[in-house]
PDB file of all heavy atoms in Angstrom:
ATOM      1  N   LEU A 177       3.705  41.497 -31.775  1.00 98.00           N
ATOM      2  CA  LEU A 177       4.984  40.946 -31.480  1.00 98.00           C
ATOM      3  C   LEU A 177       5.081  40.882 -29.968  1.00 98.00           C
ATOM      4  O   LEU A 177       4.811  41.784 -29.234  1.00 98.00           O
ATOM      5  CB  LEU A 177       6.083  41.761 -32.130  1.00 98.00           C
ATOM      6  CG  LEU A 177       7.523  41.258 -31.798  1.00 98.00           C
ATOM      7  CD1 LEU A 177       7.862  39.991 -32.657  1.00 98.00           C
ATOM      8  CD2 LEU A 177       8.455  42.377 -32.261  1.00 98.00           C
ATOM      9  N   SER A 178       5.619  39.779 -29.433  1.00 97.00           N
ATOM     10  CA  SER A 178       5.986  39.562 -28.045  1.00 97.00           C
ATOM     11  C   SER A 178       7.473  39.550 -27.870  1.00 97.00           C
ATOM     12  O   SER A 178       8.154  38.833 -28.635  1.00 97.00           O
ATOM     13  CB  SER A 178       5.368  38.449 -27.375  1.00 97.00           C
ATOM     14  OG  SER A 178       3.954  38.567 -27.252  1.00 97.00           O
ATOM     15  N   ILE A 179       8.071  40.123 -26.809  1.00 97.00           N
ATOM     16  CA  ILE A 179       9.475  40.078 -26.508  1.00 97.00           C
ATOM     17  C   ILE A 179       9.516  39.447 -25.093  1.00 97.00           C
ATOM     18  O   ILE A 179       9.016  40.151 -24.155  1.00 97.00           O
ATOM     19  CB  ILE A 179      10.104  41.436 -26.579  1.00 97.00           C
ATOM     20  CG1 ILE A 179       9.986  42.070 -27.986  1.00 97.00           C
ATOM     21  CG2 ILE A 179      11.576  41.268 -26.274  1.00 97.00           C
ATOM     22  CD1 ILE A 179      10.352  43.509 -28.003  1.00 97.00           C
ATOM     23  N   HIS A 180      10.139  38.331 -24.998  1.00 95.00           N
ATOM     24  CA  HIS A 180      10.263  37.704 -23.705  1.00 95.00           C
ATOM     25  C   HIS A 180      11.618  38.148 -23.139  1.00 95.00           C
ATOM     26  O   HIS A 180      12.721  37.678 -23.519  1.00 95.00           O
ATOM     27  CB  HIS A 180      10.206  36.097 -23.860  1.00 95.00           C
ATOM     28  CG  HIS A 180       9.006  35.655 -24.502  1.00 95.00           C
ATOM     29  ND1 HIS A 180       7.787  35.612 -23.871  1.00 95.00           N
ATOM     30  CD2 HIS A 180       8.727  35.508 -25.841  1.00 95.00           C
ATOM     31  CE1 HIS A 180       6.867  35.235 -24.738  1.00 95.00           C
ATOM     32  NE2 HIS A 180       7.410  35.108 -25.924  1.00 95.00           N
ATOM     33  N   ILE A 181      11.611  38.973 -22.152  1.00 96.00           N
ATOM     34  CA  ILE A 181      12.801  39.515 -21.543  1.00 96.00           C
ATOM     35  C   ILE A 181      13.487  38.495 -20.692  1.00 96.00           C
ATOM     36  O   ILE A 181      14.693  38.322 -20.732  1.00 96.00           O
ATOM     37  CB  ILE A 181      12.488  40.869 -20.723  1.00 96.00           C
ATOM     38  CG1 ILE A 181      11.931  41.842 -21.774  1.00 96.00           C
ATOM     39  CG2 ILE A 181      13.696  41.366 -19.982  1.00 96.00           C
ATOM     40  CD1 ILE A 181      11.321  43.045 -21.096  1.00 96.00           C
ATOM     41  N   THR A 182      12.658  37.834 -19.746  1.00 94.00           N
ATOM     42  CA  THR A 182      13.221  36.765 -18.883  1.00 94.00           C
ATOM     43  C   THR A 182      12.211  35.616 -19.165  1.00 94.00           C
ATOM     44  O   THR A 182      11.296  35.717 -19.953  1.00 94.00           O
ATOM     45  CB  THR A 182      13.255  37.148 -17.422  1.00 94.00           C
ATOM     46  OG1 THR A 182      11.950  37.423 -16.928  1.00 94.00           O
ATOM     47  CG2 THR A 182      14.202  38.303 -17.213  1.00 94.00           C
ATOM     48  N   LYS A 183      12.353  34.575 -18.400  1.00 89.00           N
ATOM     49  CA  LYS A 183      11.415  33.455 -18.539  1.00 89.00           C
ATOM     50  C   LYS A 183       9.986  33.894 -18.163  1.00 89.00           C
ATOM     51  O   LYS A 183       9.048  33.374 -18.723  1.00 89.00           O
ATOM     52  CB  LYS A 183      11.847  32.281 -17.597  1.00 89.00           C
ATOM     53  CG  LYS A 183      11.185  31.059 -17.899  1.00 89.00           C
ATOM     54  CD  LYS A 183      11.797  29.868 -17.156  1.00 89.00           C
ATOM     55  CE  LYS A 183      11.171  28.518 -17.630  1.00 89.00           C
ATOM     56  NZ  LYS A 183      11.936  27.456 -17.390  1.00 89.00           N
ATOM     57  N   GLY A 184       9.790  34.816 -17.241  1.00 92.00           N
ATOM     58  CA  GLY A 184       8.470  35.198 -16.771  1.00 92.00           C
ATOM     59  C   GLY A 184       8.073  36.675 -17.268  1.00 92.00           C
ATOM     60  O   GLY A 184       6.882  36.930 -17.430  1.00 92.00           O
ATOM     61  N   LEU A 185       8.995  37.536 -17.486  1.00 97.00           N
ATOM     62  CA  LEU A 185       8.736  38.997 -17.827  1.00 97.00           C
ATOM     63  C   LEU A 185       8.698  39.099 -19.353  1.00 97.00           C
ATOM     64  O   LEU A 185       9.526  38.642 -20.078  1.00 97.00           O
ATOM     65  CB  LEU A 185       9.752  39.781 -17.236  1.00 97.00           C
ATOM     66  CG  LEU A 185       9.605  41.316 -17.357  1.00 97.00           C
ATOM     67  CD1 LEU A 185       8.475  41.744 -16.586  1.00 97.00           C
ATOM     68  CD2 LEU A 185      10.853  41.985 -16.771  1.00 97.00           C
ATOM     69  N   PHE A 186       7.630  39.863 -19.810  1.00 97.00           N
ATOM     70  CA  PHE A 186       7.549  40.017 -21.253  1.00 97.00           C
ATOM     71  C   PHE A 186       7.007  41.446 -21.649  1.00 97.00           C
ATOM     72  O   PHE A 186       6.426  42.085 -20.817  1.00 97.00           O
ATOM     73  CB  PHE A 186       6.549  38.984 -21.884  1.00 97.00           C
ATOM     74  CG  PHE A 186       5.160  39.031 -21.421  1.00 97.00           C
ATOM     75  CD1 PHE A 186       4.281  39.865 -22.034  1.00 97.00           C
ATOM     76  CD2 PHE A 186       4.702  38.324 -20.298  1.00 97.00           C
ATOM     77  CE1 PHE A 186       2.952  39.948 -21.643  1.00 97.00           C
ATOM     78  CE2 PHE A 186       3.497  38.380 -19.893  1.00 97.00           C
ATOM     79  CZ  PHE A 186       2.527  39.145 -20.570  1.00 97.00           C
ATOM     80  N   LEU A 187       7.187  41.909 -22.809  1.00 98.00           N
ATOM     81  CA  LEU A 187       6.642  43.065 -23.455  1.00 98.00           C
ATOM     82  C   LEU A 187       5.846  42.654 -24.709  1.00 98.00           C
ATOM     83  O   LEU A 187       6.292  41.719 -25.331  1.00 98.00           O
ATOM     84  CB  LEU A 187       7.728  44.061 -23.857  1.00 98.00           C
ATOM     85  CG  LEU A 187       8.586  44.749 -22.713  1.00 98.00           C
ATOM     86  CD1 LEU A 187       9.627  45.451 -23.242  1.00 98.00           C
ATOM     87  CD2 LEU A 187       7.736  45.474 -21.798  1.00 98.00           C
ATOM     88  N   GLN A 188       4.733  43.397 -24.932  1.00 97.00           N
ATOM     89  CA  GLN A 188       3.983  43.025 -26.126  1.00 97.00           C
ATOM     90  C   GLN A 188       3.472  44.401 -26.874  1.00 97.00           C
ATOM     91  O   GLN A 188       3.239  45.290 -26.199  1.00 97.00           O
ATOM     92  CB  GLN A 188       2.677  42.234 -25.830  1.00 97.00           C
ATOM     93  CG  GLN A 188       2.914  40.831 -25.381  1.00 97.00           C
ATOM     94  CD  GLN A 188       1.630  40.120 -25.057  1.00 97.00           C
ATOM     95  OE1 GLN A 188       0.568  40.740 -24.666  1.00 97.00           O
ATOM     96  NE2 GLN A 188       1.529  38.795 -25.192  1.00 97.00           N
ATOM     97  N   GLY A 189       3.515  44.304 -28.209  1.00 98.00           N
ATOM     98  CA  GLY A 189       2.866  45.316 -29.047  1.00 98.00           C
ATOM     99  C   GLY A 189       1.897  44.670 -29.890  1.00 98.00           C
ATOM    100  O   GLY A 189       2.170  43.635 -30.470  1.00 98.00           O
ATOM    101  N   ARG A 190       0.634  45.224 -29.976  1.00 97.00           N
ATOM    102  CA  ARG A 190      -0.321  44.589 -30.775  1.00 97.00           C
ATOM    103  C   ARG A 190      -1.303  45.638 -31.385  1.00 97.00           C
ATOM    104  O   ARG A 190      -1.539  46.685 -30.746  1.00 97.00           O
ATOM    105  CB  ARG A 190      -1.173  43.611 -29.829  1.00 97.00           C
ATOM    106  CG  ARG A 190      -2.315  42.911 -30.467  1.00 97.00           C
ATOM    107  CD  ARG A 190      -3.132  42.112 -29.458  1.00 97.00           C
ATOM    108  NE  ARG A 190      -2.230  41.111 -28.802  1.00 97.00           N
ATOM    109  CZ  ARG A 190      -2.510  40.387 -27.694  1.00 97.00           C
ATOM    110  NH1 ARG A 190      -3.742  40.708 -27.097  1.00 97.00           N
ATOM    111  NH2 ARG A 190      -1.715  39.633 -27.187  1.00 97.00           N
ATOM    112  N   TYR A 191      -1.774  45.333 -32.561  1.00 97.00           N
ATOM    113  CA  TYR A 191      -2.772  46.240 -33.302  1.00 97.00           C
ATOM    114  C   TYR A 191      -3.991  45.420 -33.516  1.00 97.00           C
ATOM    115  O   TYR A 191      -3.958  44.360 -34.012  1.00 97.00           O
ATOM    116  CB  TYR A 191      -2.264  46.742 -34.562  1.00 97.00           C
ATOM    117  CG  TYR A 191      -3.185  47.687 -35.251  1.00 97.00           C
ATOM    118  CD1 TYR A 191      -3.405  48.994 -34.825  1.00 97.00           C
ATOM    119  CD2 TYR A 191      -3.939  47.282 -36.298  1.00 97.00           C
ATOM    120  CE1 TYR A 191      -4.336  49.806 -35.358  1.00 97.00           C
ATOM    121  CE2 TYR A 191      -4.849  48.129 -36.905  1.00 97.00           C
ATOM    122  CZ  TYR A 191      -5.094  49.395 -36.435  1.00 97.00           C
ATOM    123  OH  TYR A 191      -5.998  50.270 -37.036  1.00 97.00           O
ATOM    124  N   ILE A 192      -5.057  46.022 -33.030  1.00 96.00           N
ATOM    125  CA  ILE A 192      -6.465  45.269 -33.262  1.00 96.00           C
ATOM    126  C   ILE A 192      -7.316  46.198 -34.099  1.00 96.00           C
ATOM    127  O   ILE A 192      -7.545  47.398 -33.813  1.00 96.00           O
ATOM    128  CB  ILE A 192      -7.076  45.017 -31.869  1.00 96.00           C
ATOM    129  CG1 ILE A 192      -6.187  44.138 -31.070  1.00 96.00           C
ATOM    130  CG2 ILE A 192      -8.411  44.404 -32.052  1.00 96.00           C
ATOM    131  CD1 ILE A 192      -6.283  44.389 -29.522  1.00 96.00           C
ATOM    132  N   VAL A 193      -7.806  45.647 -35.154  1.00 95.00           N
ATOM    133  CA  VAL A 193      -8.708  46.331 -36.056  1.00 95.00           C
ATOM    134  C   VAL A 193     -10.075  45.745 -35.839  1.00 95.00           C
ATOM    135  O   VAL A 193     -10.273  44.562 -35.818  1.00 95.00           O
ATOM    136  CB  VAL A 193      -8.209  46.263 -37.521  1.00 95.00           C
ATOM    137  CG1 VAL A 193      -8.206  44.805 -38.018  1.00 95.00           C
ATOM    138  CG2 VAL A 193      -9.055  47.111 -38.492  1.00 95.00           C
ATOM    139  N   GLY A 194     -11.120  46.624 -35.759  1.00 91.00           N
ATOM    140  CA  GLY A 194     -12.473  46.210 -35.582  1.00 91.00           C
ATOM    141  C   GLY A 194     -13.061  45.677 -36.874  1.00 91.00           C
ATOM    142  O   GLY A 194     -12.721  46.214 -37.994  1.00 91.00           O
ATOM    143  N   LEU A 195     -13.799  44.628 -36.815  1.00 90.00           N
ATOM    144  CA  LEU A 195     -14.331  44.000 -38.001  1.00 90.00           C
ATOM    145  C   LEU A 195     -15.848  44.415 -38.201  1.00 90.00           C
ATOM    146  O   LEU A 195     -16.372  44.097 -39.236  1.00 90.00           O
ATOM    147  CB  LEU A 195     -14.229  42.421 -37.943  1.00 90.00           C
ATOM    148  CG  LEU A 195     -12.757  41.952 -37.794  1.00 90.00           C
ATOM    149  CD1 LEU A 195     -12.868  40.403 -37.584  1.00 90.00           C
ATOM    150  CD2 LEU A 195     -11.932  42.373 -39.030  1.00 90.00           C
ATOM    151  N   ASN A 196     -16.508  44.908 -37.160  1.00 88.00           N
ATOM    152  CA  ASN A 196     -17.892  45.245 -37.396  1.00 88.00           C
ATOM    153  C   ASN A 196     -18.075  46.685 -36.782  1.00 88.00           C
ATOM    154  O   ASN A 196     -17.283  47.149 -36.076  1.00 88.00           O
ATOM    155  CB  ASN A 196     -18.810  44.301 -36.619  1.00 88.00           C
ATOM    156  CG  ASN A 196     -18.574  44.263 -35.177  1.00 88.00           C
ATOM    157  OD1 ASN A 196     -17.525  44.152 -34.637  1.00 88.00           O
ATOM    158  ND2 ASN A 196     -19.724  44.434 -34.311  1.00 88.00           N
ATOM    159  N   GLU A 197     -19.177  47.330 -37.380  1.00 83.00           N
ATOM    160  CA  GLU A 197     -19.436  48.697 -36.959  1.00 83.00           C
ATOM    161  C   GLU A 197     -19.988  48.713 -35.474  1.00 83.00           C
ATOM    162  O   GLU A 197     -20.686  47.803 -35.109  1.00 83.00           O
ATOM    163  CB  GLU A 197     -20.434  49.321 -37.849  1.00 83.00           C
ATOM    164  CG  GLU A 197     -20.008  49.595 -39.224  1.00 83.00           C
ATOM    165  CD  GLU A 197     -20.965  50.085 -40.181  1.00 83.00           C
ATOM    166  OE1 GLU A 197     -22.143  50.102 -39.901  1.00 83.00           O
ATOM    167  OE2 GLU A 197     -20.595  50.478 -41.303  1.00 83.00           O
ATOM    168  N   ILE A 198     -19.549  49.654 -34.774  1.00 79.00           N
ATOM    169  CA  ILE A 198     -19.942  49.677 -33.271  1.00 79.00           C
ATOM    170  C   ILE A 198     -21.347  50.287 -33.114  1.00 79.00           C
ATOM    171  O   ILE A 198     -21.958  50.205 -32.085  1.00 79.00           O
ATOM    172  CB  ILE A 198     -18.970  50.531 -32.410  1.00 79.00           C
ATOM    173  CG1 ILE A 198     -18.888  51.912 -32.837  1.00 79.00           C
ATOM    174  CG2 ILE A 198     -17.520  49.844 -32.377  1.00 79.00           C
ATOM    175  CD1 ILE A 198     -18.154  52.881 -31.888  1.00 79.00           C
ATOM    176  N   SER A 199     -21.786  50.935 -34.222  1.00 74.00           N
ATOM    177  CA  SER A 199     -23.181  51.572 -34.150  1.00 74.00           C
ATOM    178  C   SER A 199     -23.731  51.759 -35.611  1.00 74.00           C
ATOM    179  O   SER A 199     -22.876  52.224 -36.445  1.00 74.00           O
ATOM    180  CB  SER A 199     -23.147  52.912 -33.442  1.00 74.00           C
ATOM    181  OG  SER A 199     -24.389  53.572 -33.615  1.00 74.00           O
ATOM    182  N   PRO A 200     -24.941  51.378 -35.838  1.00 69.00           N
ATOM    183  CA  PRO A 200     -25.323  51.646 -37.141  1.00 69.00           C
ATOM    184  C   PRO A 200     -25.590  53.119 -37.531  1.00 69.00           C
ATOM    185  O   PRO A 200     -25.530  53.517 -38.654  1.00 69.00           O
ATOM    186  CB  PRO A 200     -26.764  50.888 -37.302  1.00 69.00           C
ATOM    187  CG  PRO A 200     -27.129  50.514 -35.814  1.00 69.00           C
ATOM    188  CD  PRO A 200     -25.797  50.660 -35.016  1.00 69.00           C
TER     189      PRO A 200
END
Side-chain angles (χ1 to χ4, degrees):
L177 179 72
S178 291
I179 302 170
H180 305 278
I181 298 170
T182 65
K183 192 167 186 161
L185 187 63
F186 64 89
L187 297 174
Q188 288 180 334
R190 182 181 298 165
Y191 182 73
I192 300 148
V193 61
L195 298 176
N196 63 309
E197 294 177 347
I198 63 165
S199 169

